[in-house]
Amino acid sequence: MDKEKLELIVFDIVNSAGTAKGLAYEALGEAEKGNYEEAEKLLKEADKSLLAAHNIQTEIIQAETSGDNMEVSVLFVHAQDHLMTAVEAKSLIECMIKMYRRIENLEKK
């Protein structure tokens, strides 16, 4: 895989992961205000961005299994790090939103 294509892949992963992470934090903010429906919409948008990044990863894996090996660079590792932290942030934020709902329900009792 040539350097230019690798740079585009890195940019796409970082962009998709950053978008997903930002949307997840927006969802958390909406949940803090009690806007759970909006929070769920934002989480679904985050899922779309994470899926886009996952699809890029799948392309890389398929290319490598076909013999088109890619040079692992610091930039690529950085992109993977962005993706992993976005996945983890979204997962944790989903748990936090569930807790907000539970707390709100308990406060209403």
Side-chain angles (χ1 to χ4, degrees):
M1 186 172 300
D2 65 22
K3 186 177 178 177
E4 186 176 307
K5 186 172 182 179
L6 175 60
E7 288 173 355
L8 289 174
I9 287 169
V10 166
F11 175 77
D12 285 344
I13 292 172
V14 169
N15 184 46
S16 295
T19 298
K21 193 173 181 181
L23 288 166
Y25 276 103
E26 282 184 52
L28 181 60
E30 290 300 321
E32 285 179 290
K33 294 184 257 182
N35 299 331
Y36 299 109
E37 193 172 306
E38 183 63 24
E40 290 301 320
K41 286 179 188 177
L42 289 163
L43 288 174
K44 285 180 183 177
E45 286 183 51
D47 280 335
K48 290 177 187 177
S49 291
L50 289 175
L51 179 61
H54 174 74
N55 288 340
I56 296 165
Q57 279 186 316
T58 301
E59 287 178 33
I60 293 167
I61 292 167
Q62 289 173 341
E64 188 166 323
T65 59
S66 298
D68 185 11
N69 292 331
M70 175 178 109
E71 180 183 326
V72 177
S73 68
V74 173
L75 285 175
F76 182 71
V77 172
H78 178 67
Q80 293 299 106
D81 184 47
H82 268 281
L83 179 55
M84 290 174 16
T85 58
V87 169
E88 188 57 34
K90 183 184 170 284
S91 178
L92 184 57
I93 286 168
E94 287 174 325
C95 291
M96 292 173 74
I97 290 172
K98 287 177 187 175
M99 288 182 355
Y100 280 135
R101 284 181 185 220
R102 186 172 182 197
I103 290 167
E104 184 177 287
N105 288 333
L106 288 170
E107 287 176 338
K108 288 179 180 178
K109 289 184 177 183

